[in-house]
Amino acid sequence: MEANIEIAKSFYEQNKYLETIDTCHKILSNDINSIEALKLISKSFFATRKIEDARLYLNKALNLKPDDYEVLKDLGNTFQAVGDLNTAKEYFCKAIAVNSSYAPALTNLGSIELNTGNKQEALSLLVQATESDPKLPPAWLNLANGYLLSGQVNEAEAACRRSLELNPSIFNPHFLLATILVEQQKLREAEVSIHKSIDLNPTLHNSHFLLATILISQKKLQDAEAPLRKTIELKPDSEEAHFNLGAVLKELGNFQEAEIYIRNSIDLNPNLYKSHLLLVNILISQKKLQDAEISARKAIELKPNLFQAHLTLGAVLKDLGKLKDAETSARKAIELKPNLAISHSNLGAILIDLGKLKEAEISLRKAIELDP
C-alpha cells in the first residue's frame, strides 16, 4: 500500500497510532519536510503518553514552520501534560499571537488560568474560544467549569449541555453536568447524567461516589450501598467512601458491618472527628458501651466544642453508671447549646439517678418549655 497523508489520517482517526507513525515515517523517507507527517507522528506519540517523543517531532515541525499555530499549541499541550504550566502558557500565547481566534489555544490557556485561580481571565478566554469556534466541545466544557467555579450555575448548565450536544460520547461533560445539577438540587436529572458518565467510563471512582451522594440526598439508601462499595473497590483508600458506606449501613440497621467501615475510615484518617462520633452511635446500637465511651472521648479530643459528642458521652456514662461524669458531660452539652430540649431532658434523667430531684425538676421543666 502506498503511504500518503490521507492513509495516515485515517489510521489516526481510528486510534491506530502505531500504524499512523509507521505510515508517516514512510512519508518522511520520501519527503523529509512533510509538516503534516511530523504533526501526525507527534499527535500519535502524545496520545500514547510518549511526551518527549511527541515534543521531538513538534520541534522538527516548528523548525520548518516557526509560525504554525497548531504546532505551537500542541507543544503547549506537551508541557501542560507534565504539569509545566508556565511553559505551556508561553506556547499557547505564542499560538494566539499568530492567530488570535484559534479556539484550541484559547481553550487550553483558559483552562490553565482557571486552574490557577484567575477566573475572570479564564472566562474571558473561554467565551472568546466558543465565539471563535462554536463547534469545539472542549471550549464549552471548560467554559461550563469556569462558570461553575464562579458560582454561575445556570450559565454552567447551559454551556455543559452545549458541549454534550456537540459530543455526547465522552464521560466528562456528563460528570460535570451531574455536578452542576446537584448544585441546583436537580437530583433526579443529576442521577441520569451520572449514570451516563458511568456507562461511558465505569472505572472512574469519582462517578460512583457522586452517584452514591445523589442517591443518599434522595434518601435512596439501599441503592446508594452498591456505588459506595464500587467506589471502595476502585479506590480503597477513600476515607469518605468508607465513612459514607458505614453511615448508610447504620441507617439500614447493619451495625456490625457499619462498624467495620467506620473503623476503616478512622484507620485512613484518625483525625476525622465525625467518624469517631458516628462510631459512638453504632457501638451504642450494639450495646458496646465501654467502646462507645472511648470513641466519644476521642471525638471530644479532636473537637472539644462538639456538643453532640458531650451529649452522647453523657448518655453513655449514665448507662455505665458513671453518674457524676455523666452529669459533667450533660452540663457541657447544655453550655455549648443551651436551647436543645434533649440536653436538658438527659440531664434531668441523670439528676434523678443521682437523687438530685429538685435540680432534676428544673431541668425537665426546661426541656418541656423548649419542646412541649
Side-chain angles (χ1 to χ4, degrees):
M1 180 186 297
E2 181 183 353
N4 62 58
I5 201 66
E6 294 306 320
I7 292 173
K9 286 180 179 178
S10 175
F11 281 137
Y12 182 77
E13 289 168 0
Q14 298 173 66
N15 300 329
K16 295 180 178 180
Y17 301 120
L18 292 177
E19 291 89 338
T20 305
I21 292 168
D22 183 59
T23 303
C24 286
H25 276 306
K26 290 176 182 176
I27 294 170
L28 290 169
S29 67
N30 294 319
D31 179 7
I32 196 171
N33 294 325
S34 172
I35 293 277
E36 291 302 313
L38 292 169
K39 285 182 180 181
L40 278 175
I41 290 177
S42 70
K43 288 180 184 293
S44 298
F45 278 129
F46 187 80
T48 54
R49 304 298 296 174
K50 295 180 179 179
I51 304 299
E52 292 297 329
D53 290 329
R55 197 175 294 157
L56 173 67
Y57 283 89
L58 286 168
N59 281 318
K60 288 181 178 181
L62 199 63
N63 287 333
L64 294 170
K65 191 177 179 182
D67 62 347
D68 190 313
Y69 51 83
E70 183 184 12
V71 171
L72 289 166
K73 180 267 296 179
D74 285 346
L75 271 166
N77 287 347
T78 66
F79 287 101
Q80 187 175 14
V82 296
D84 186 351
L85 300 185
N86 288 331
T87 306
K89 283 177 65 172
E90 289 176 13
Y91 278 103
F92 293 146
C93 288
K94 287 177 181 178
I96 293 166
V98 175
N99 182 352
S100 61
S101 63
Y102 185 44
L106 291 165
T107 298
N108 293 354
L109 182 57
S111 174
I112 289 178
E113 296 292 3
L114 196 60
N115 291 331
T116 51
N118 301 322
K119 295 177 186 176
Q120 290 306 119
E121 178 65 18
L123 286 175
S124 175
L125 288 162
L126 293 167
V127 168
Q128 189 180 345
T130 58
E131 290 173 348
S132 297
D133 186 354
K135 294 185 177 181
L136 185 65
W140 289 104
L141 182 62
N142 282 326
L143 180 58
N145 193 35
Y147 280 136
L148 179 61
L149 292 175
S150 301
Q152 301 176 60
V153 289
N154 292 334
E155 292 84 350
E157 180 185 352
C160 196
R161 290 192 184 280
R162 179 61 178 146
S163 176
L164 281 168
E165 287 172 10
L166 293 166
N167 188 354
S169 62
I170 55 175
F171 75 91
N172 308 69
H174 292 286
F175 181 88
L176 182 59
L177 181 58
T179 304
I180 293 166
L181 292 168
V182 168
E183 285 288 316
Q184 298 171 304
Q185 291 299 303
K186 299 177 180 178
L187 298 178
R188 290 184 180 178
E189 292 179 63
E191 187 179 341
V192 172
S193 290
I194 200 62
H195 272 298
K196 288 180 180 176
S197 173
I198 291 170
D199 288 343
L200 291 165
N201 185 357
T203 64
L204 187 68
H205 68 89
N206 287 338
S207 296
H208 296 279
F209 186 76
L210 182 56
L211 172 58
T213 303
I214 292 167
L215 293 169
I216 290 169
S217 297
Q218 296 179 86
K219 311 298 183 186
K220 299 178 180 179
L221 299 185
Q222 288 183 323
D223 293 339
E225 184 180 343
L228 284 170
R229 291 188 187 278
K230 186 64 178 180
T231 303
I232 292 169
E233 176 189 325
L234 294 169
K235 188 173 174 57
D237 62 346
S238 172
E239 64 192 55
E240 284 294 324
H242 285 278
F243 175 85
N244 285 3
L245 181 53
V248 164
L249 291 169
K250 172 189 174 291
E251 292 302 313
L252 294 174
N254 188 348
F255 300 116
Q256 288 185 334
E257 199 173 7
E259 180 183 348
I260 291 170
Y261 283 100
I262 293 300
R263 289 195 184 278
N264 286 346
S265 75
I266 291 171
D267 288 341
L268 291 164
N269 185 355
N271 297 320
L272 198 65
Y273 76 87
K274 67 179 183 179
S275 293
H276 294 279
L277 186 60
L278 182 57
L279 181 58
V280 176
N281 293 317
I282 292 169
L283 292 167
I284 290 172
S285 298
Q286 298 177 86
K287 311 299 182 185
K288 298 178 180 180
L289 298 182
Q290 291 179 329
D291 290 342
E293 179 187 350
I294 293 169
S295 292
R297 292 193 185 281
K298 183 62 180 179
I300 291 168
E301 176 189 327
L302 293 168
K303 199 172 178 68
N305 292 329
L306 188 66
F307 89 92
Q308 298 101 319
H310 291 281
L311 179 68
T312 307
L313 178 58
V316 169
L317 292 169
K318 177 182 180 296
D319 289 344
L320 287 170
K322 300 177 181 181
L323 297 178
K324 289 185 179 180
D325 289 342
E327 180 185 353
T328 301
S329 293
R331 291 191 184 280
K332 183 63 177 179
I334 291 170
E335 176 190 327
L336 293 168
K337 197 160 186 178
N339 296 321
L340 194 66
I342 187 66
S343 299
H344 294 277
S345 179
N346 283 7
L347 177 58
I350 293 166
L351 292 169
I352 289 172
D353 286 354
L354 283 167
K356 299 178 181 180
L357 299 184
K358 289 184 179 180
E359 292 180 58
E361 180 183 347
I362 293 169
S363 291
L364 293 168
R365 286 190 183 279
K366 182 65 176 178
I368 292 168
E369 177 189 329
L370 290 167
D371 186 356

